[in-house]
Coordinates of all heavy atoms in Angstrom, one line a residue:
N24 N -169.3 -131.8 -21.0 CA -169.8 -130.4 -20.8 C -170.5 -130.1 -19.5 O -171.6 -129.6 -19.5 CB -170.7 -130.0 -22.0 CG -170.9 -128.5 -22.1 OD1 -170.0 -127.7 -21.8 ND2 -172.0 -128.1 -22.6
R25 N -169.8 -130.6 -18.4 CA -170.4 -130.3 -17.1 C -169.2 -130.0 -16.2 O -168.1 -130.1 -16.5 CB -171.1 -131.6 -16.6 CG -170.3 -132.8 -16.5 CD -170.9 -133.9 -15.7 NE -171.9 -134.7 -16.5 CZ -172.8 -135.4 -16.0 NH1 -173.0 -135.5 -14.7 NH2 -173.7 -136.1 -16.8
T26 N -169.6 -129.5 -15.0 CA -168.6 -129.1 -14.0 C -168.0 -130.4 -13.4 O -168.7 -131.5 -13.4 CB -169.1 -128.2 -12.9 OG1 -170.1 -128.9 -12.2 CG2 -169.7 -127.0 -13.5
L27 N -166.8 -130.3 -12.8 CA -166.2 -131.4 -12.1 C -167.1 -131.8 -10.9 O -167.3 -133.0 -10.7 CB -164.8 -131.0 -11.6 CG -164.1 -132.0 -10.8 CD1 -163.9 -133.3 -11.6 CD2 -162.7 -131.5 -10.4
S28 N -167.6 -130.8 -10.2 CA -168.5 -131.1 -9.1 C -169.7 -131.9 -9.5 O -170.1 -132.8 -8.8 CB -168.9 -129.8 -8.4 OG -167.9 -129.2 -7.8
N29 N -170.3 -131.5 -10.6 CA -171.5 -132.2 -11.1 C -171.2 -133.6 -11.5 O -172.0 -134.5 -11.2 CB -172.2 -131.4 -12.3 CG -173.4 -132.1 -12.8 OD1 -173.3 -132.8 -13.8 ND2 -174.5 -131.8 -12.1
L30 N -170.1 -133.8 -12.2 CA -169.7 -135.1 -12.6 C -169.5 -136.0 -11.3 O -170.1 -137.2 -11.3 CB -168.4 -135.1 -13.3 CG -167.8 -136.4 -13.8 CD1 -168.5 -136.9 -15.0 CD2 -166.3 -136.4 -14.0
I31 N -168.8 -135.5 -10.3 CA -168.6 -136.3 -9.1 C -169.9 -136.6 -8.4 O -170.2 -137.7 -7.9 CB -167.5 -135.7 -8.2 CG1 -166.2 -135.7 -9.0 CG2 -167.4 -136.3 -6.9 CD1 -165.1 -134.9 -8.3
E32 N -170.7 -135.6 -8.2 CA -172.0 -135.7 -7.5 C -172.9 -136.8 -8.2 O -173.5 -137.7 -7.6 CB -172.8 -134.4 -7.5 CG -174.1 -134.5 -6.7 CD -174.8 -133.2 -6.6 OE1 -174.3 -132.2 -7.2 OE2 -175.8 -133.1 -5.8
T33 N -172.9 -136.7 -9.6 CA -173.7 -137.7 -10.3 C -173.2 -139.1 -10.1 O -173.9 -140.1 -10.0 CB -173.7 -137.3 -11.8 OG1 -174.3 -136.0 -11.9 CG2 -174.6 -138.3 -12.6
A34 N -171.8 -139.2 -10.2 CA -171.2 -140.5 -10.0 C -171.5 -141.1 -8.6 O -171.8 -142.3 -8.5 CB -169.7 -140.4 -10.3
L35 N -171.4 -140.3 -7.6 CA -171.7 -140.7 -6.3 C -173.2 -141.2 -6.1 O -173.5 -142.2 -5.5 CB -171.4 -139.6 -5.2 CG -169.9 -139.4 -5.0 CD1 -169.8 -138.1 -4.2 CD2 -169.2 -140.6 -4.4
K36 N -174.1 -140.4 -6.7 CA -175.5 -140.8 -6.7 C -175.7 -142.1 -7.3 O -176.5 -143.0 -6.8 CB -176.4 -139.7 -7.3 CG -176.5 -138.5 -6.5 CD -177.4 -137.4 -7.2 CE -177.5 -136.2 -6.4 NZ -178.3 -135.2 -7.2
R37 N -175.1 -142.3 -8.5 CA -175.3 -143.6 -9.2 C -174.7 -144.8 -8.4 O -175.2 -145.9 -8.4 CB -174.6 -143.5 -10.6 CG -175.4 -142.6 -11.6 CD -174.7 -142.6 -12.9 NE -175.5 -141.7 -13.8 CZ -175.0 -141.2 -14.9 NH1 -173.8 -141.5 -15.3 NH2 -175.8 -140.3 -15.6
Y38 N -173.6 -144.5 -7.8 CA -172.9 -145.5 -7.0 C -173.9 -146.0 -5.9 O -174.0 -147.2 -5.6 CB -171.6 -145.0 -6.4 CG -171.0 -145.9 -5.4 CD1 -170.2 -147.0 -5.8 CD2 -171.1 -145.7 -4.0 CE1 -169.7 -147.9 -4.8 CE2 -170.5 -146.5 -3.1 CZ -169.8 -147.6 -3.5 OH -169.3 -148.4 -2.6
L39 N -174.5 -145.0 -5.2 CA -175.4 -145.3 -4.1 C -176.6 -146.0 -4.6 O -177.1 -146.9 -3.9 CB -175.7 -144.0 -3.3 CG -174.6 -143.4 -2.5 CD1 -175.0 -142.1 -2.0 CD2 -174.1 -144.3 -1.4
E40 N -177.1 -145.6 -5.7 CA -178.3 -146.3 -6.3 C -178.0 -147.7 -6.6 O -178.8 -148.6 -6.3 CB -178.8 -145.5 -7.5 CG -179.4 -144.2 -7.3 CD -179.7 -143.4 -8.5 OE1 -179.3 -143.9 -9.6 OE2 -180.2 -142.3 -8.4
R41 N -176.9 -148.0 -7.2 CA -176.5 -149.3 -7.5 C -176.3 -150.2 -6.2 O -176.6 -151.3 -6.2 CB -175.2 -149.4 -8.4 CG -175.5 -148.8 -9.8 CD -174.2 -148.7 -10.6 NE -173.7 -150.1 -10.8 CZ -172.5 -150.3 -11.2 NH1 -171.6 -149.3 -11.3 NH2 -172.1 -151.5 -11.4
G42 N -175.7 -149.6 -5.2 CA -175.5 -150.2 -4.0 C -176.8 -150.6 -3.3 O -176.9 -151.7 -2.7
S43 N -177.8 -149.7 -3.4 CA -179.1 -150.0 -2.8 C -179.7 -151.2 -3.6 O -180.4 -152.1 -3.0 CB -180.0 -148.8 -3.0 OG -179.5 -147.8 -2.2
L44 N -179.6 -151.2 -4.9 CA -180.1 -152.3 -5.7 C -179.5 -153.7 -5.3 O -180.1 -154.7 -5.2 CB -180.0 -152.1 -7.2 CG -180.8 -150.9 -7.7 CD1 -180.4 -150.7 -9.2 CD2 -182.3 -151.2 -7.6
R45 N -178.1 -153.6 -5.1 CA -177.4 -154.8 -4.7 C -177.9 -155.4 -3.4 O -178.1 -156.6 -3.3 CB -175.9 -154.6 -4.7 CG -175.2 -155.0 -6.0 CD -173.7 -154.9 -5.8 NE -173.4 -153.7 -6.6 CZ -172.5 -152.9 -6.2 NH1 -171.9 -153.0 -5.1 NH2 -172.2 -151.8 -7.0
S46 N -178.0 -154.5 -2.4 CA -178.4 -155.0 -1.1 C -179.8 -155.5 -1.1 O -180.1 -156.4 -0.4 CB -178.2 -153.9 0.0 OG -179.0 -152.8 -0.4
K47 N -180.7 -155.0 -2.0 CA -182.1 -155.5 -2.1 C -182.1 -156.9 -2.7 O -182.9 -157.7 -2.3 CB -182.9 -154.5 -2.9 CG -183.3 -153.3 -2.1 CD -184.2 -152.4 -3.0 CE -184.4 -151.1 -2.3 NZ -185.2 -150.1 -3.1
D48 N -181.2 -157.1 -3.7 CA -181.1 -158.4 -4.4 C -180.4 -159.4 -3.5 O -180.4 -160.6 -3.8 CB -180.3 -158.3 -5.7 CG -181.1 -157.5 -6.7 OD1 -182.3 -157.3 -6.5 OD2 -180.5 -157.0 -7.7
G49 N -179.7 -158.9 -2.4 CA -179.1 -159.9 -1.5 C -177.7 -160.4 -2.0 O -177.1 -161.2 -1.4
G50 N -177.2 -159.8 -3.1 CA -175.9 -160.3 -3.6 C -174.9 -159.2 -3.8 O -175.1 -158.3 -4.6
A51 N -173.9 -159.3 -3.0 CA -172.8 -158.3 -3.1 C -171.9 -158.5 -4.3 O -171.1 -157.7 -4.7 CB -171.9 -158.3 -1.8
D52 N -172.1 -159.6 -5.0 CA -171.3 -160.0 -6.1 C -171.9 -159.4 -7.4 O -171.3 -159.6 -8.5 CB -171.1 -161.5 -6.3 CG -172.3 -162.3 -6.3 OD1 -173.4 -161.7 -5.9 OD2 -172.3 -163.4 -6.8
N53 N -173.1 -158.8 -7.4 CA -173.7 -158.2 -8.6 C -173.0 -156.9 -8.9 O -173.0 -156.0 -8.1 CB -175.2 -157.9 -8.4 CG -176.0 -159.2 -8.2 OD1 -175.5 -160.2 -8.6 ND2 -177.1 -159.0 -7.6
P54 N -172.4 -156.7 -10.1 CA -171.7 -155.5 -10.4 C -172.6 -154.3 -10.6 O -173.7 -154.4 -10.9 CB -170.9 -155.8 -11.7 CG -171.3 -157.1 -12.2 CD -172.2 -157.7 -11.1

């Protein structure tokens, strides 16, 4: 029950947050 734009924006934000966590942990192999 959300717009396509909101779904994609939220997914991109989560992707970037997870990427930031991975680079802080020093492991690119962490999913």
Side-chain angles (χ1 to χ4, degrees):
N24 195 33
R25 61 168 80 201
T26 64
L27 178 59
S28 292
N29 180 263
L30 177 80
I31 293 170
E32 183 177 8
T33 301
L35 289 171
K36 286 179 181 178
R37 288 180 182 165
Y38 172 80
L39 291 173
E40 288 170 0
R41 290 176 66 200
S43 295
L44 292 174
R45 260 187 257 138
S46 58
K47 286 180 185 176
D48 291 341
D52 56 339
N53 293 340

